[in-house]
Amino acid sequence: MEYRRLGKTGYNVSIIGFGGIPIQQNTQEEADLLIKTCISQGINFIDTARGYTVSEELIGNALKKMNAKDIYIATKTMGRTYEAAKKDFEISYKNLGRETIDLYQFHNIAKIEDYNTVMGENGAMKFFKEMQKKGYIREIGLSSHSADLMNIALDSGEFSTMQFPINAVESQGFPLIEKAKKFDIGTIAMKPIAGGVLMNHGKESLKYILENKNLDVAIPGMWSLDEVMTNTSIGNNFIPLSDEEKAELLEEAKSLGTDFCRRCNYCQPCRVGINISQMFTLDLYKTKYNLVDWAEARYDTEKVKADECIKCGDCESRCPYHLPIINKLEGVSERFEGAR
Ligand code: SF4
Ligand code: SF4
């Protein structure tokens, strides 16, 4: 496995890290095997979040059983105030069962108002710093989908790492990691295969971003052993993309445009219970990847379907990509239900 220094943290991290969103669907037994396999393949950086339901717990339990050492654990809080961050931290700390959390991050700071709250007098940063002083947190980082916000955070000098979506479709992260390198801030790529939508070129997308030495670690979400083996094989035997592979990847990326769902689920919960990202995923499989029967069969099993949207708009205000969800759901409904 290739390792890179994660900026000023000094951590020597595997270029393929573990993204902790999909593990939520695993049992503890499956999670144990998954984490064990990741570590045996050289992964030493695991990223999770308080917001990923049982992810921290599954990972924490797996690591405890293995008595795994020299593994860097990163988690995050959506808490913006001192009290909210404290509440989250106490749960994360218990879930992960470690003496110190290697990297504690502000999760998905989207607006300047949130950033100002975090950095303000009774903000979450005050709590982070107290915990850091006491040795419960080693390093402080943040994640965001906003390039403007990330620029402000990089300039502040307050953070050891930045986490941003970087993949073949989303190129706005490249100037950010270049800037971060100048400040010796560690760089973490979330959504390295664009939330899984670069289905035909997942490996190529990982290679594409990791060829850029300003990036320290990519954290694809993984829940199956196959995914672990495929992704870690890249870090274990890094072969740069050929010109042909690169051209094909960029062609697929171009065909997706920017108006696609990254399956981050920040839009949830939906008032009527629509699984929004699932709707868009099934639509993509049906229309772009031609998995018509499979997608329609899966759509039929969804309890609440796209046409049940009451257009309240709650989800749209939460989507970091500002997707026109209501409009897009109408399209899904037409393609799945209108065709019957
Ligand atoms: S606009 Fe539709 S999809 Fe979005 S939260 Fe409201 S009901 Fe759910
Ligand atoms: S609609 Fe937006 S918030 Fe919801 S999963 Fe897709 S990208 Fe994320």
Side-chain angles (χ1 to χ4, degrees):
M1 175 65 73
E2 184 180 332
Y3 296 85
R4 292 182 190 169
R5 180 178 165 275
L6 186 64
K8 61 177 90 166
T9 69
Y11 302 160
N12 203 26
V13 295
S14 49
I15 57 171
I16 302 294
F18 180 84
I21 296 181
I23 199 174
Q24 295 172 86
Q25 61 195 293
N26 290 111
T27 62
Q28 184 64 61
E29 205 179 321
E30 290 164 347
D32 291 351
L33 185 57
L34 196 70
I35 297 295
K36 195 173 168 193
T37 310
C38 284
I39 293 173
S40 72
Q41 294 306 309
I43 286 181
N44 74 348
F45 182 81
I46 295 178
D47 182 79
T48 178
R50 184 74 291 281
Y52 304 161
T53 63
V54 292
S55 171
E56 287 181 331
E57 217 175 325
L58 291 171
I59 293 166
N61 288 340
L63 290 175
K64 269 180 248 167
K65 282 180 208 161
M66 290 171 59
N67 197 17
K69 299 209 169 66
D70 304 324
I71 304 296
Y72 297 108
I73 297 284
T75 191
K76 325 180 191 75
T77 173
M78 288 292 285
R80 305 301 189 220
T81 62
Y82 184 100
E83 281 307 318
K86 182 170 184 277
K87 203 169 146 207
D88 263 6
F89 176 82
E90 283 164 1
I91 301 169
S92 295
Y93 191 73
K94 190 165 154 262
N95 283 343
L96 294 169
R98 309 196 116 211
E99 276 180 26
T100 309
I101 292 179
D102 301 300
L103 176 64
Y104 201 47
Q105 304 155 101
F106 299 106
H107 194 169
N108 188 29
I109 300 198
K111 299 181 192 139
I112 188 69
E113 298 82 31
D114 287 342
Y115 181 79
N116 289 339
T117 305
V118 160
M119 305 302 273
E121 204 184 335
N122 289 311
M125 183 57 114
K126 186 177 170 194
F127 175 74
F128 276 39
K129 291 251 169 101
E130 282 178 18
M131 290 299 102
Q132 193 179 36
K133 228 178 196 169
K134 290 180 180 168
Y136 292 111
I137 292 172
R138 280 177 70 190
E139 302 288 343
I140 297 173
L142 88 161
S143 77
S144 180
H145 295 74
S146 157
D148 289 346
L149 204 288
M150 193 54 87
N151 263 310
I152 293 170
L154 293 178
D155 288 334
S156 74
E158 293 280 2
F159 301 97
S160 300
T161 63
M162 59 158 281
Q163 186 174 144
F164 199 80
I166 302 175
N167 52 60
V169 194
E170 295 174 281
S171 57
Q172 73 274 30
F174 290 109
L176 290 171
I177 57 173
E178 191 181 343
K179 179 171 173 174
K181 272 292 117 178
K182 287 185 187 140
F183 295 158
D184 201 22
I185 292 170
T187 53
I188 304 164
M190 64 163 116
K191 304 190 177 54
I193 50 177
V197 296
L198 282 165
M199 193 167 93
N200 294 335
H201 296 97
K203 272 177 96 164
E204 288 77 11
S205 184
L206 277 171
K207 285 186 187 181
Y208 176 73
I209 59 171
L210 284 164
E211 279 178 9
N212 186 321
K213 297 288 181 187
N214 290 324
L215 179 63
D216 300 325
V217 51
I219 50 167
M222 296 181 252
W223 69 278
S224 74
L225 297 180
D226 274 357
E227 284 172 333
V228 172
M229 297 313 288
T230 304
N231 293 337
T232 52
S233 71
I234 294 162
N236 280 319
N237 182 22
F238 197 89
I239 302 166
L241 285 178
S242 67
D243 290 346
E244 199 183 9
E245 286 171 327
K246 192 169 171 180
E248 279 177 17
L249 168 69
L250 294 178
E251 190 56 41
E252 186 182 9
K254 202 169 143 202
S255 75
L256 286 166
T258 52
D259 185 22
F260 67 94
C261 174
R262 278 78 165 176
R263 306 189 207 171
C264 60
N265 287 328
Y266 290 129
C267 51
Q268 292 291 355
C270 160
R271 276 204 207 190
V272 297
I274 297 171
N275 185 340
I276 298 168
S277 61
Q278 176 75 339
M279 293 291 140
F280 297 148
T281 302
L282 295 178
D283 192 36
L284 191 77
Y285 285 170
K286 178 171 175 172
T287 56
K288 182 164 161 50
Y289 297 113
N290 212 22
L291 297 166
V292 179
D293 293 345
W294 182 87
E296 287 185 347
R298 290 288 298 271
Y299 186 84
D300 283 343
T301 66
E302 289 297 315
K303 284 201 188 90
V304 189
K305 300 201 166 38
D307 67 340
E308 290 173 69
C309 170
I310 57 167
K311 303 182 174 44
C312 67
D314 289 358
C315 54
E316 291 193 352
S317 63
R318 291 192 287 251
C319 175
Y321 296 96
H322 312 293
L323 296 186
I325 296 175
I326 297 172
N327 198 275
K328 284 172 77 68
L329 283 176
E330 280 177 357
V332 173
S333 170
E334 272 164 31
R335 284 184 285 280
F336 279 84
E337 291 161 65
R340 287 158 205 250

